[in-house]
Amino acid sequence: MTIIIFIIVLWYSGLFFQTFFLHRYAAHQSFKMSKFGEKLCFILTWVTQGSNYLSAYGYGVMHRMHHAFADTEKDPHSPKYDDNLFSMMWRTKKIYADINSQKAIIEEKFTKNVPQWEGFDKFASSWVSRIGWAVAYTAFFYFFATAWWQWLLLPVAYMMAPIHGVIINWFAHIYGYTNFKVSDTSKNLLKFDWLMMGEAYHNNHHKHGGRANFGGVRWHEMDVTYQIMILLDKMKLIRLNPVEVVRREH
C-alpha cells in the first residue's frame, strides 16, 4: 500500500506543477505571480518531478510551438507525423533538449517572457540530479515494496513526466470528444478528468489557449487545477487574468 500511495503522490504532485507552472504559467501566462513565487515553483517542480524534471523554458517554448504548428510537420509532437507514440516521444525529447540548451534557432514570439532560471535548470536537468532521484526512488522501493509486482511501478516513477505528456500529446489527439471545431485533431480525452487535473480537456484548451480554466464548457468538465488556482488567487499568491466566458459550438 505504501508504494501505491507513493506513486499516486508522485503522479499528482508532479502533474500539478506541470499543468500549473510549466503549462498555464510558463507557456500561456494565464496568471501572474511574484518572482519569489516563480523561483519557488522552479524548486517545487524539481522536487515533485525528480528524475523527470522539465524546464519551464524548454517546456514553455516547445508548447507554444505545438499550438502554432499543431498537427503539421513543424509540430514538436503529433500522432499525424509519427508512426507510434515511442517515436513521437523520442522526437519530442530531441526538440525539447535543443530548445533547452539553446541549440535551436527559435522565433522571438515563442520565447518572449518565458521564465528561465539557467543555473537551476542546468543543475536540475543534470545527470547527477536525475540519477540521484532515480537512486532515491529505488531505495524507497527497496525498503517499502512488499510484493514483486510493485517493482513494475518503478519505471513509472522514473518516467512519469513523459507518461503525462504522451497521454495528452498522443491519446488526446486520437480519442475523445470535441466541443469546438479547431484546425487540429485535439480532443477532450475524458468527460470527467480525474486523471490529468484538467489537462485532458485538450480540445477546449486548443480553442482557448490563454484561458486558465481548461474545463467548464460542459457541466461535467471540472478542472481541478483551476479550482486550486482560484483558491491561490483569493489568497493573493497569484493573480488570475480576467475570466473569459466560453460556450461550446456544437
Side-chain angles (χ1 to χ4, degrees):
M1 191 63 178
T2 302
I3 294 297
I4 301 298
I5 293 171
F6 178 69
I7 291 294
I8 291 172
V9 169
L10 278 186
W11 181 277
Y12 286 106
S13 62
L15 178 58
F16 173 76
F17 282 98
Q18 182 269 324
T19 184
F20 170 74
F21 179 55
L22 305 182
H23 192 176
R24 305 185 205 213
Y25 181 75
H28 293 292
Q29 300 178 344
S30 59
F31 65 93
K32 296 176 176 63
M33 64 177 158
S34 68
K35 287 298 179 182
F36 173 79
E38 186 178 288
K39 289 288 196 293
L40 181 61
C41 282
F42 270 99
I43 295 168
L44 291 176
T45 300
W46 174 66
V47 170
T48 57
Q49 291 188 338
S51 62
N52 10 146
Y53 172 81
L54 293 173
S55 155
Y57 181 80
Y59 182 100
V61 171
M62 187 172 67
H63 187 72
R64 290 181 181 184
M65 292 171 63
H66 169 61
H67 276 267
F69 304 124
D71 286 330
T72 70
E73 291 181 342
K74 293 183 178 181
D75 189 344
H77 39 70
S78 170
K80 287 184 67 175
Y81 289 92
D82 290 289
D83 294 332
N84 55 69
L85 60 87
F86 298 105
S87 63
M88 185 195 76
M89 291 172 72
W90 184 251
R91 185 163 65 90
T92 301
K93 175 189 177 298
K94 290 167 60 178
I95 293 171
Y96 165 83
D98 286 345
I99 293 170
N100 207 35
S101 62
Q102 301 189 37
K103 292 180 180 178
I105 299 173
I106 307 294
E107 293 180 63
E108 184 182 357
K109 65 181 179 180
F110 297 126
T111 63
K112 186 177 180 180
N113 297 326
V114 177
Q116 188 175 22
W117 189 359
E118 289 189 48
F120 185 81
D121 268 350
K122 186 176 180 179
F123 158 71
S125 300
S126 69
W127 282 110
V128 171
S129 173
R130 296 192 189 282
I131 292 172
W133 280 110
V135 169
Y137 297 160
T138 305
F140 188 91
F141 271 69
Y142 177 79
F143 286 109
F144 293 104
T146 56
W148 67 267
W149 59 265
Q150 294 177 3
W151 285 92
L152 299 177
L153 296 173
L154 184 57
V156 176
Y158 291 158
M159 299 292 292
M160 197 163 282
I163 293 170
H164 289 154
V166 81
I167 288 172
I168 301 304
N169 298 328
W170 182 269
F171 292 102
H173 279 265
I174 299 174
Y175 306 106
Y177 68 95
T178 60
N179 285 329
F180 303 101
K181 293 179 181 178
V182 292
S183 59
D184 55 69
T185 59
S186 59
K187 295 175 175 60
N188 295 329
L189 185 61
L190 302 170
K191 289 187 175 181
F192 175 68
D193 186 10
W194 55 272
L195 182 66
M196 298 299 295
M197 298 189 73
E199 288 286 314
Y201 302 127
H202 202 48
N203 174 253
N204 294 355
H205 174 57
H206 268 243
K207 178 65 176 180
H208 300 280
R211 186 169 176 256
N213 185 4
F214 292 0
V217 179
R218 301 195 189 201
W219 68 268
H220 52 75
E221 293 175 355
M222 174 66 74
D223 181 349
V224 176
T225 301
Y226 181 64
Q227 301 308 311
I228 296 172
M229 291 167 68
I230 291 174
L231 177 60
L232 294 174
D233 181 72
K234 289 180 178 178
M235 296 170 65
K236 301 189 183 305
L237 296 174
I238 66 171
R239 189 169 79 238
L240 285 166
N241 294 343
V243 174
E244 177 186 0
V245 178
V246 299
R247 293 177 176 83
R248 64 192 176 98
E249 295 174 346
H250 57 84

